[in-house]
Amino acid sequence: DRDVTGVQTCALPISRAVGAVARALTRARVEAVALAFVADWEAEIDACLASGAAVVNVVARSSDRLHRVLGTTRAEVLERAAAAIGRAVDSGIEVAFTPSDCTRADPAYLAELWQVAAGAGARRVYVADSVGVATPELVALLVARAREATGLAVGVHCHSDFGLGRSEEHTSELQSHHD
């Protein structure tokens, strides 16, 4: 129902560029992306808030593989995601949540992440196929699970490493019209 342009915000100079994009795209809502898994995650949130974007999209890693790479635990990720979402929500801006690497995440933990995000005040959650391997059917299943877990609007973030990205997006669009 809406066009969204996501722009990653990692530093204040980039947040100024996000603001320029937000002002230029009058028919699209711009989401500034804040990485909740970096050490200076508070600065990420603050830069997004300063950007002028309509939405802050908080991103956390959802797969155990990435938790090992980052040296984090599931519990730490849940806590950080809730804190980051809460910080953004407290500012009064609309907040979305993306658990990256959904296709390699444990389904029960993924549902828990989405539920924590909803409980912290996110108004939209995403399904992210960060490596571009999901079939359209898997994306449809994950969208349904996210909606069931949260009752929120669900977006998709697809990579097209293997040429599946557009078909995944189309499937999610069809799924949203059937529910």
Side-chain angles (χ1 to χ4, degrees):
D1 290 356
R2 69 181 194 192
D3 294 323
V4 176
T5 301
V7 183
Q8 188 159 324
T9 304
C10 294
L12 191 54
I14 294 173
S15 79
R16 291 186 186 112
V18 172
V21 170
R23 288 186 300 279
L25 296 177
T26 59
R27 294 184 50 181
R29 290 172 49 96
V30 174
E31 290 189 359
V33 177
L35 306 178
F37 54 86
V38 297
D40 61 346
W41 63 271
E42 294 100 336
E44 290 269 325
I45 299 294
D46 294 344
C48 287
L49 295 173
S51 75
V55 180
V56 172
N57 188 327
V58 174
V59 177
R61 301 300 194 207
S62 65
S63 69
D64 290 330
R65 178 187 173 281
L66 290 179
H67 294 170
R68 283 190 299 277
V69 168
L70 294 168
T72 59
T73 66
R74 288 180 175 189
E76 291 168 337
V77 172
L78 290 167
E79 183 178 323
R80 176 74 62 85
I85 292 165
R87 183 181 183 99
V89 165
D90 286 348
S91 76
I93 197 166
E94 182 179 337
V95 179
F97 175 69
T98 301
S100 69
D101 211 23
C102 289
T103 54
R104 295 189 288 190
D106 171 68
Y109 177 67
L110 189 55
E112 186 177 6
L113 264 171
W114 283 320
Q115 290 166 343
V116 163
R123 292 183 41 204
R124 172 182 292 263
V125 294
Y126 279 84
V127 169
D129 180 16
S130 304
V131 291
V133 298
T135 63
E137 294 81 9
L138 178 57
V139 171
L141 175 67
L142 290 171
V143 167
R145 286 182 178 171
R147 188 174 292 121
E148 181 181 314
T150 66
L152 298 176
V154 179
V156 295
H157 173 87
C158 302
H159 289 230
S160 197
D161 301 25
F162 299 99
L164 294 169
R166 183 62 197 130
S167 62
E168 293 172 3
E169 291 170 356
H170 180 67
T171 299
S172 70
E173 290 166 8
L174 292 174
Q175 174 80 12
S176 69
H177 293 295
H178 290 287
D179 293 336

